[in-house]
Amino acid sequence: MLLFLSISPFRSYYFASPERYSIMKKGYYFLLLIYLSFGLSPHLWSQFRVEGARYTEAKAPEGQRMKVLLLNGVSSATTLYFTANSGEQLMTYTESLRDAKPVATAQYNGTAWLLVNPPLGCGYFVQPSQGLPDTYYWLIDYAKQPFPQAPFVAEIDSDSPCERVVLRAEGGFTDFSCYTPQGVLSPVARSYKVQYQDQEYDAANTIFVEKKRVQMLQPQQGVLRLLASLTDTEFTLLGDAFSEDLGYAFEPLYTQKLLGQRVDVHGDLRLVGSTSKADSLPKGSLPRSLSAPAQIEMHAIGNAPVATLFQWRIVRGEAANAENSSVVFQYSGADCSYTFTEAGAYTIELSATSRNGVCSASTDKVTTSVQTSRLEVPNAFSPTSSPGINDVFRVVHTSLVEFDGRIYNEWGNELYHWTDPNGGWDGTYRGQSVSGGVYYYVIYARGADGKVYNERGHINVLDGDLQS
């Protein structure tokens, strides 16, 4: 069957069965409905809109079918549009639905109620012929809401003087408010935009860097509270969360410069002459285990000019039990060093105090341990064959705080003497390689755990090919 269907503004030709024709017809009507809704009558797809005024939406009270809208003033050019079917009435209320009444000045255009130069500070809704409205709208005149005035001052929070700051202004910091349909006066959150200077620790470069911060703060009992800056700064009030969207020309307010009191401190610990294993650790940390004598350098990094007084402490024992442990090292200053010479566990502590001595901060405690001693002496090496393999006579050791080693020939002549256990004999005497054979060593050492070593024995100097 040949069927011809023409629905303006669409025109197509189909060879189709009656069933397919029915489906296609429904599709065409659906497209036509979309076209009419979006192209001809915006009221059909928009329940509410505003023309002739800047507006934005605030957060409505929890659990309410409400939208709270802020308008930056209205005029004769401002019009509200409420989509409504024929027979549905535009209503307004001031405190609850009990005082709701029709909006006498509104006009119905067949698809929506139009309200020109609308009153604000009240609620609106479209009353359907049956049931309850889908949404209630509360409109606030943003231009008439009280803004904080100078003087704008910053103070140390008396409840938390080392951590927080209080900002006060003439008139206070307030929220908005609205009435729910049930007649409950509810606050509408209003955040204020505050800018100030701060510092931030850069762990990669172990320094504090300047940082400008902008925070949105909600008022608490008419004031703003925030975490204190790590530096001296003034605070600037730039408006609230809606100022920019609404084009409100708010003149910034500035506090006096407030001297910082909050302290932040970080420790940079470095093992002098560290091994590759220690070098692979995160910057500023120590290996869990050290071999004495182990010298560490300690550098304190604080948020200047607030943090000025530093104190380092090293105590015996693990961090959990360090409070009652004996102090082995204490130093007042930013930079120092210490050498561990005794076996056992140690906890390193760093604290900093503000310039007025009121506030302080501490780093996390760092625990390390000095190993018990060990000394092992090889009995052969090959200084002239197989270069790079076993060509220096060295002892294997851990935590030796004293060392004295000597090499003798068979006639008792001293050929070599060294006092650093990390050193060793390269098999030469007066710049010449010794011949292969048996030689003798005498080694005295004392460990970090107090153990004494008196080692004597012989060593074979091999001058043949070890591989063979």
Side-chain angles (χ1 to χ4, degrees), residues 384 425-435:
T384 58
W425 182 40
D426 62 359
T428 63
Y429 176 64
R430 293 180 178 178
Q432 300 293 323
S433 298
V434 300
S435 57

Side-chain angles (χ1 to χ4, degrees), residues 3-14 24 28-29 31-32:
L3 295 178
F4 172 76
L5 175 65
S6 176
I7 301 180
S8 179
F10 308 104
R11 179 182 296 269
S12 296
Y13 298 86
Y14 288 91
M24 292 178 178
Y28 269 121
Y29 279 119
L31 293 174
L32 179 62

Side-chain angles (χ1 to χ4, degrees), residues 6 26 37 75 123 130 142 156 185 211 221 226 230 243 257 260 282-284 302 328 342 356 387 389 393 420 429:
S6 176
K26 291 179 181 178
S37 297
S75 66
Q130 292 182 347
Y142 179 82
I156 300 298
L185 182 63
K211 185 176 182 65
Q221 300 175 334
L226 70 157
L230 291 174
S243 303
K257 177 172 282 191
K283 188 174 183 179
V328 299
E342 296 185 21
N356 59 4
I389 302 175
F393 174 74
D420 180 0
Y429 176 64

Side-chain angles (χ1 to χ4, degrees), residues 37 69 85 131 137 166 168 186 194 236-237 271 303 327 335 389 398 411 438 447 451:
S37 297
L69 303 174
N85 296 320
Y137 301 90
V166 176
R168 303 181 188 275
S186 300
V194 175
T236 305
L237 181 64
L271 180 61
N303 57 313
V327 177
D335 303 318
I389 302 175
T398 302
W411 297 286
V438 178
K451 184 176 180 180

